[in-house]
Amino acid sequence: MLEKLNEYLKELEKELWGMSDYLYHHPELGDQEVESMKLLSSYLEKHQFMVEKGIVGRKTAFKATFDSALPGPTIAFLAEYDALPDIGHGCGHNMIGTMSVGAGVLLSKVAMELGGKVVVLGTPAEETNGAKVDMASNGIFDDIDVAMMVHPADQSYQSGDSLAMDAIQFNFTGKSSHAAASPEEGINALDAVIHLFNGIATLRQHVPSDVRMHGIIKEGGIAANIIPEKASAQFYLRAKDRSTLNGIRKKVELIASGAAAMTGANIETHPYELSYDNMKTNKTLSALFTKNLLTSGVKKVHPAKSSTGSIDMGNVSHVIPAIHPYIGLDAPGLIAHTREFADRTITPVGHAVLSQGVFTLAKTAADILGNEILLQEIKEEFIQSNV
C-alpha cells in the first residue's frame, strides 16, 4: 500500500503544486472564494468524486464524495481556501485546501481495495465566520467516522488544543445633544463603551490565565461637539473550554449592562461572527498521523504547543474524532499571517512539504480503512473524552 500511495502521489504532485500556486496568486476572502472552490471541486470531479456545492447555505462550501461501494468507514479531509485581507494566503490556506483535496484523490486510488468512502469538505471562511461551525451543527458529520486536516507552520507539531471563542458586539444607544451648549440633555453612548472597556480591564485580574479578552471600538461618534448617540464595541472572548467561556461571557455581559446603567444608555448585544468551540484532539488518531508524518521525510515533530488562538475545527472535534496537526515549512520562527509566510508556500520547500502533507493524510486514512480495531480505538477515545 505504501508503494502504491507513493506512485500515485508522483503522478499527481505537479498538478497539486500548480493548484496551490494558483490559489496563492488569486487569493479570495472568506465566503467569497468562488474561483478557489471551482478549482478544487473541479479537480475532485475529474477524479470521479460526486460534488455537492453550496451546502449549509454557504455558496462557496462543498461536499465531495468517492464511494468505493465496499463496506468500511467514511474518512473526511477538510479543505480551507480563504485568504487574509491585503496579505493573501499568509496562513497557508492555499496549501491546506490543496493538501486535503490531494489526500482525498490519493486515498480514492486505493479505496477500491480497502473499502469505505472518501469525503472532502470545502470549508470557507475559517479566518472569520468558519463554515465548519455550520457543518457541525447541521449534521454534515453524522455519516462521517473521522475528520482530519493539516496546517502549515514554521515547524511540525502534533495536533493539540485551541481556545473556545465568542465574538460579541455591544451596541449602546444614548441621546445626542450639543456637547458644549446643552450637555445635560445628552446621553453619551461612547462613555458606556469606555466603561465597558474599563470594566473588562478590571475583570482580567479575576479570570483564569488561559482567558483572552480583546476588542475594538467599532463606532464612537461623529464629531467632538456632538454627544455620541450611538457607539459600539466588538470583542473576542476566549477560554480553554466552552463551559469556562460561558461563565466569562456572562460576567462581561453584566459589565456591559452596568456600563449602560451608569450612563443611562440602552444596550443591545449580538454575535458578529460564529462561535468556535475548543479543539479536542483525538490522541490515538494524532499518534498515527505523527508516525506517518515521520515516514514522509519530516525529521522531527514537536509536541503540541499550547494554543492561544481559536479554530472552527474545534467544533468538528466535539462531534467526531478529529485532528489538526501542523507541518513545518522548515523555517523556525516564521510567523503566520505575514507575506513572508505566504511566499514560503510557493517555494520548492513549500511544494515538497505539500507533498508530504498529502501523503501523510492519505496514509493515515488508509491505515484506518484497513484496520477495524484501530478505528474502534479512535472512537472509544472520543466517547470517553465526552463523558
Side-chain angles (χ1 to χ4, degrees):
M1 190 60 63
L2 190 64
E3 291 181 3
K4 287 185 178 180
L5 288 174
N6 275 315
E7 288 173 7
Y8 285 125
L9 178 58
K10 289 299 180 185
E11 295 175 8
L12 300 171
E13 64 181 358
K14 287 185 179 179
E15 286 183 294
L16 298 176
W17 297 344
M19 283 198 294
S20 179
D21 289 1
Y22 178 89
L23 295 175
Y24 166 90
H25 289 292
H26 301 84
E28 296 174 302
L29 300 179
D31 288 320
Q32 301 175 33
E33 316 99 320
V34 175
E35 296 304 319
S36 303
M37 184 268 287
K38 286 181 182 177
L39 176 70
L40 297 175
S41 61
S42 296
Y43 188 74
L44 289 162
E45 287 175 326
K46 186 176 79 171
H47 287 276
Q48 288 72 56
F49 278 72
M50 299 295 295
V51 178
E52 180 185 359
K53 300 174 184 175
I55 62 173
V56 298
R58 308 287 283 263
K59 67 178 182 179
T60 55
F62 68 84
K63 180 180 181 180
T65 305
F66 180 91
D67 190 347
S68 72
L70 296 172
T74 301
I75 309 295
F77 303 110
L78 277 55
E80 299 172 358
Y81 34 89
D82 60 314
L84 295 159
D86 298 324
I87 294 171
H89 279 291
C91 205
H93 290 194
N94 55 320
M95 286 183 65
I96 294 174
T98 305
M99 286 189 290
S100 286
V101 166
V105 171
L106 188 59
L107 183 62
S108 73
K109 304 304 180 185
V110 296
M112 298 305 294
E113 298 177 39
L114 298 173
K117 294 181 183 178
V118 185
V119 171
V120 179
L121 291 172
T123 63
E126 188 276 333
E127 295 290 352
T128 53
N129 210 28
K132 298 185 196 69
V133 177
D134 289 334
M135 293 180 181
S137 61
N138 283 278
I140 295 297
F141 296 97
D142 289 354
D143 58 353
I144 293 172
D145 294 283
V146 170
M148 64 184 91
M149 58 175 286
V150 61
H151 198 299
D154 62 335
Q155 302 179 80
S156 296
Y157 300 91
Q158 297 175 24
S159 181
D161 56 13
S162 69
L163 300 183
M165 181 273 289
D166 286 337
I168 310 298
Q169 180 159 326
F170 302 90
N171 296 326
F172 294 92
T173 302
K175 181 182 177 183
S176 65
S177 182
H178 195 292
S182 305
E184 72 280 4
E185 297 296 327
I187 296 174
N188 195 319
L190 179 59
D191 281 347
V193 167
I194 292 171
H195 284 312
L196 171 66
F197 271 81
N198 289 335
I200 290 174
T202 302
L203 178 62
R204 286 194 176 94
Q205 183 182 357
H206 306 286
V207 298
S209 59
D210 57 86
V211 171
R212 298 290 185 272
M213 301 179 291
H214 42 100
I216 61 167
I217 297 176
K218 190 72 173 174
E219 181 181 3
I222 55 176
N225 63 348
I226 301 173
I227 290 176
E229 180 181 22
K230 295 183 182 298
S232 64
Q234 291 182 340
F235 271 85
Y236 283 121
L237 308 177
R238 307 178 197 257
K240 65 177 181 179
D241 55 52
R242 173 51 56 185
S243 61
T244 301
L245 180 57
N246 288 343
I248 296 298
R249 177 171 174 170
K250 288 181 181 177
K251 291 181 179 181
V252 170
E253 288 175 341
L254 285 172
I255 290 171
S257 296
M262 290 169 69
T263 56
N266 294 317
I267 183 173
E268 180 265 333
T269 303
H270 66 84
Y272 64 93
E273 291 175 2
L274 293 174
S275 293
Y276 289 1
D277 286 335
N278 54 295
M279 179 72 196
K280 297 170 67 174
T281 284
N282 187 279
K283 292 181 172 58
T284 305
L285 181 57
S286 178
L288 176 63
F289 182 92
T290 299
K291 183 186 75 172
N292 287 327
L293 186 58
L294 290 168
T295 67
S296 75
V298 172
K299 293 182 173 60
K300 183 174 182 179
V301 181
H302 297 272
K305 53 182 178 180
S306 182
S307 176
T308 54
S310 306
I311 53 176
D312 60 351
M313 191 67 170
N315 296 64
V316 179
S317 72
H318 283 250
V319 295
I320 60 170
I323 56 171
H324 185 281
Y326 293 83
I327 187 168
L329 289 166
D330 194 24
L334 181 65
I335 299 172
H337 287 212
T338 62
R339 291 183 178 86
E340 291 77 14
F341 192 100
D343 293 344
R344 186 74 171 176
T345 68
I346 60 168
T347 63
V349 170
H351 289 164
V353 169
L354 189 151
S355 294
Q356 292 169 337
V358 170
F359 169 84
T360 306
L361 286 169
K363 177 62 168 60
T364 302
D367 289 343
I368 297 168
L369 291 180
N371 190 331
E372 292 183 10
I373 295 174
L374 176 59
L375 177 62
Q376 189 57 43
E377 290 176 355
I378 290 169
K379 289 189 169 186
E380 182 61 29
E381 179 190 328
F382 175 77
I383 292 169
Q384 292 301 317
S385 70
N386 286 278
V387 172

